[in-house]
Amino acid sequence: MKLRGLCILVLMIFVSHLYSQSWKELNPPPNIFNEEILSVVADLKGNIYAAGKFKNLENKFVVAKWDGQHWLELGSGSGALNANNFIYCLAVDTMGNLYAAGGFTNSTGYTSIAKWDGTKWSEVGGLVNALNPNGYIHTMTIDVTGNLFVAGSCTDTSGNGYVARWNGMSWSQLGVGSKALRANGYIYSLTTDSTGNVYAAGHFTNSKDKYYVAKWNGMDWEELGG
C-alpha cells in the first residue's frame, strides 16, 4: 500500500509539472509585428529570428531578433536589409550566419538571397555571383557541411522548378539534364538529413499527376517511396 501511495504521489507531481508548462507570448510592447510572421528560426546560441510581411517605420520588410526581452530590427543604417517585399524564409548555419529570402530584390532587380554576418546584410555571392532567380524564394535549408539550398517559384531555362545550391563559392542547379528535378510547380519546402540527402516538396506532381516528395541522393532526384 505504501508503494502504491508513493507511485500515486509521483504521478501527481509529474502531472502537476506537465500542466504548469504553458505558452508564453514573446511580444511585449512596443509590438514590432504589424503583419503576418512567415518564418521563425533559432541559432545555436538560442537567439530567435522572425520575418514575414511586417515592416519598419521606413516601410521596409525586416528580420526581427529576440534579445531575451524585446524584438529588435536586425541591421540598421548601411547594414540594414531594406527588403522591398515579403520575407518568406530564414535559415541559420553552424557558424551563426543567418540567411533570408523571399520576394525582395537586390539592386539589379532580381530576387535576393541575403546573408547576415552579425554586422550587416549582404547578397549571397555578391552582385557578381548572385543567383538572380526569375521568381520568389519560398524555402531554404542548410546541410551538415554548410551548403545552402533554396527553391520557390523560380524556373530554369527549360521552364521547370529547381533547387539551387550555394557551396560557399558559387551557385549551381541541383541536378541538370536527365538528372534535373523538373518540377512542374512551385517548391514550398526543403530539408536535409544527416547524410546529406535533400528533400523537396510543394505544388509539383509526378507522371501520374500526384503530388510527391522528391529526394536528391547526391547523384539524382527520385520520388520518395517510388
Side-chain angles (χ1 to χ4, degrees):
M1 293 298 293
K2 290 183 178 180
L3 179 61
R4 180 181 179 184
L6 178 61
C7 291
I8 293 175
L9 178 61
V10 170
L11 179 61
M12 290 175 63
I13 293 173
F14 172 77
V15 171
S16 175
H17 175 70
L18 181 65
Y19 279 94
S20 67
Q21 299 176 4
S22 60
W23 287 97
K24 178 181 179 182
E25 183 178 351
L26 301 182
N27 202 23
N31 190 345
I32 194 173
F33 302 121
N34 50 32
E35 254 291 359
E36 294 176 54
I37 302 167
L38 302 178
S39 183
V40 177
V41 295
D43 64 18
L44 294 178
K45 295 180 180 179
N47 296 307
I48 309 296
Y49 305 92
K53 297 182 180 181
F54 54 91
K55 303 177 184 179
N56 61 14
L57 296 177
E58 284 73 44
N59 207 36
K60 299 294 184 180
F61 298 89
V62 301
V63 176
K65 176 183 178 181
W66 175 253
D67 67 357
Q69 294 184 324
H70 303 91
W71 287 102
L72 305 171
E73 179 179 345
L74 196 62
S76 60
S78 60
L81 179 58
N82 290 325
N84 58 2
N85 206 334
F86 299 161
I87 303 170
Y88 287 120
C89 51
L90 299 171
V92 180
D93 65 21
T94 55
M95 301 297 292
N97 297 304
L98 175 69
Y99 300 85
F104 61 93
T105 57
N106 57 25
S107 59
T108 61
Y110 286 99
T111 302
S112 176
I113 295 92
K115 174 184 175 180
W116 172 258
D117 62 5
T119 303
K120 64 183 184 303
W121 287 100
S122 62
E123 178 87 12
V124 176
L127 292 180
V128 176
N129 294 313
L131 177 61
N132 292 334
N134 60 359
Y136 291 173
I137 300 298
H138 288 280
T139 179
M140 58 171 58
T141 189
I142 300 174
D143 68 12
V144 291
T145 60
N147 292 303
L148 171 68
F149 303 90
V150 301
S153 62
C154 44
T155 56
D156 59 21
T157 55
S158 299
N160 297 312
Y162 68 99
V163 177
R165 173 175 58 193
W166 170 256
N167 62 7
M169 297 292 292
S170 61
W171 286 102
S172 62
Q173 182 175 334
L174 198 63
V176 295
S178 61
K179 299 182 182 298
L181 176 57
R182 295 187 293 277
N184 58 2
Y186 293 177
I187 302 170
Y188 286 124
S189 184
L190 292 173
T191 193
T192 61
D193 62 25
S194 59
T195 60
N197 296 307
V198 182
Y199 303 86
H203 198 259
F204 56 91
T205 57
N206 60 18
S207 58
K208 296 182 180 180
D209 201 31
K210 300 295 183 181
Y211 298 103
Y212 70 102
V213 176
K215 175 184 177 181
W216 173 258
N217 59 21
M219 297 291 294
D220 200 358
W221 286 101
E222 59 185 1
E223 182 175 346
L224 193 63

